[in-house]
Amino acid sequence: MLDALTYAGNLENIARLVEGGRVKFIKGSIAEAADVKTAMKGCEAVFNFAAETHVDRSIQEGGTFIKTDVLGTYTLLRVAHELGIERFVQISTDEVYGSSSGEYFTEASPLRPGNPYAASKCGGDLMGAAFFNTFEVPVVITRSSNNFGPYQHVEKFIPLFITNTIEGKDLPLYGDGKHERDWIYVEDNCAAIELVGTQGTAGEIYNIAVGSSHPNIEVAELILELLGAPKSRIKLIEDRKGHDRAYLMDSSKMGALGWQPRHQFRNALEKTVQWYKDNEDWWRRVKSGAFREYYDTYYKEKLKKGKRYGD
Ligand code: DAU
């Protein structure tokens, strides 16, 4: 496993796997050919999960997204070609299709990225398609909807709202809170990715979605209910710039491969809330230091100007 251990990386998450000998860890960047060669030598397959992923950060500064998500993917593909890798799985996102106003995107839908993060993921996907066409690198692309579950970084909506609730803080909900996301439990997503890695057809794209979207306000209320906190903890704050309203994908191609999500949203959210309750040391460490600084600068003013839900 190759990881640059940026702010989002955390060796603690895989410590047991490394100690047990199931994962060999190499610190390095996917945008550095030398690091990539060291990591890829002797491999049959490559799964590219490495990315800058947080939309809000890409709105503040997009350069690192282009470096990792476009140049990094290009570097991986180039080395994969050189070493004759037998399978290259590019992990992508529903965000490449842009916002939906009710229509379900298929794998053939046009790419209409709505923010710098999504655009950089489009760049990586297109590079994958180009390497398949030009060099016959056996690339498959997965496009997943919003993940949630244990170990998710606290910058993301669900862990941020769970941990803020536990800490007794307000929940910063963007805009009118009616934006919708199709939440997929991380284990369902991983099962789908594994299936595409083993059974998918080279050169193809696979949408991975559950097909049941929830408005953010509904998810925020459910988190508060599960933790026994009042709805007044929600603060409606200034909206994210260019905020995509909804992502909807047709994932029948995954169905044809034999995949179906196994987790129901409410049950999986209950499990996730329980995980964050049981692993307070872990998220308190993640929330300290650099993240605290980011949180304070990004949210402080917005929260001050925000409107308490229900007022
Ligand atoms: O759709 C897949 C994508 O899901 C992935 O490709 C991205 O890497 C991942 O970050 C995620 O993007 P989103 O922007 O949808 O996720 P995020 O957790 O940032 O936000 C989910 C929704 O919650 C979105 O409508 C914005 C809203 N939100 C988010 C944060 C962090 C808030 O209202 N307040 C917040 O503080």
Side-chain angles (χ1 to χ4, degrees):
M1 178 184 178
L2 176 69
D3 194 291
L5 295 181
T6 63
Y7 81 91
N10 188 348
L11 259 186
E12 230 186 289
N13 299 354
I14 56 159
R16 263 188 302 147
L17 298 172
V18 175
E19 280 155 23
R22 293 191 63 201
V23 168
K24 185 177 168 200
F25 178 75
I26 297 165
K27 184 177 184 306
S29 163
I30 61 164
E32 296 296 335
D35 294 347
V36 172
K37 276 183 194 159
T38 309
M40 223 185 261
K41 228 172 244 159
C43 292
E44 282 168 21
V46 172
F47 288 76
N48 180 22
F49 284 93
E52 289 290 337
T53 66
H54 201 48
V55 174
D56 298 317
R57 290 182 189 261
S58 81
I59 294 167
Q60 293 180 299
E61 195 276 315
T64 48
F65 287 73
I66 297 166
K67 184 169 178 212
T68 304
D69 303 354
V70 186
L71 181 63
T73 304
Y74 165 77
T75 309
L76 288 172
L77 287 161
R78 198 160 58 83
V79 178
H81 172 49
E82 213 177 290
L83 299 181
I85 292 294
E86 288 163 30
R87 176 62 99 196
F88 190 106
V89 184
Q90 167 68 6
I91 314 298
S92 190
T93 169
D94 54 7
E95 299 222 2
V96 296
Y97 300 118
S99 196
S100 164
S101 15
E103 70 275 34
Y104 280 73
F105 298 121
T106 71
E107 289 82 355
S109 295
L111 302 182
R112 292 206 175 91
N115 57 66
Y117 156 68
S120 73
K121 290 301 285 182
C122 288
D125 285 16
L126 294 176
M127 201 57 81
F131 267 71
F132 172 71
N133 186 58
T134 313
F135 302 113
E136 293 175 7
V137 175
V139 177
V140 282
I141 298 173
T142 62
R143 292 184 177 150
S144 305
S145 61
N146 281 67
N147 275 233
F148 71 107
Y151 292 108
Q152 190 172 32
H153 195 281
V154 292
E155 69 188 355
K156 305 294 186 208
F157 176 66
I158 288 182
L160 182 69
F161 277 34
I162 294 172
T163 58
N164 271 18
T165 305
I166 297 173
E167 287 181 300
K169 291 187 171 163
D170 287 335
L171 310 186
L173 190 61
Y174 295 157
D176 60 7
K178 291 185 185 150
H179 300 77
E180 293 182 12
R181 295 293 184 265
D182 181 10
W183 293 101
I184 184 169
Y185 190 60
V186 60
E187 287 176 13
D188 283 332
N189 189 37
C190 289
I193 290 169
E194 189 181 359
L195 191 62
V196 171
T198 52
Q199 313 281 316
T201 304
E204 295 286 315
I205 300 166
Y206 295 87
N207 288 346
I208 303 173
V210 174
S212 80
S213 287
H214 302 269
N216 294 336
I217 182 73
E218 183 189 306
V219 179
E221 285 179 354
L222 189 50
I223 289 170
L224 289 165
E225 180 196 316
L226 293 172
L227 288 162
K231 288 180 186 171
S232 57
R233 293 275 289 282
I234 297 171
K235 261 207 160 170
L236 294 169
I237 65 164
E238 175 194 336
D239 207 355
R240 172 187 278 172
K241 286 189 174 63
H243 195 174
D244 287 338
R245 206 74 194 165
Y247 305 116
L248 295 173
M249 287 190 298
D250 174 338
S251 61
S252 48
K253 218 165 145 181
M254 279 310 302
L257 266 193
W259 175 84
Q260 274 203 342
R262 289 168 175 271
H263 294 84
Q264 298 290 329
F265 179 66
R266 192 187 164 106
N267 290 346
L269 187 64
E270 279 173 15
K271 270 212 298 198
T272 304
V273 167
Q274 192 57 48
W275 188 89
Y276 282 87
K277 278 169 83 174
D278 294 342
N279 290 276
E280 211 167 313
D281 288 352
W282 178 87
W283 61 258
R284 282 198 187 275
R285 275 196 290 281
V286 178
K287 262 193 156 178
S288 64
F291 181 77
R292 175 72 54 221
E293 222 168 276
Y294 161 79
Y295 185 84
D296 285 346
T297 43
Y298 186 73
Y299 287 103
K300 209 173 198 167
E301 283 307 305
K302 293 184 176 76
L303 276 163
K304 246 192 247 164
K305 290 189 204 139
K307 192 171 146 264
R308 201 159 289 288
Y309 184 56
D311 281 356

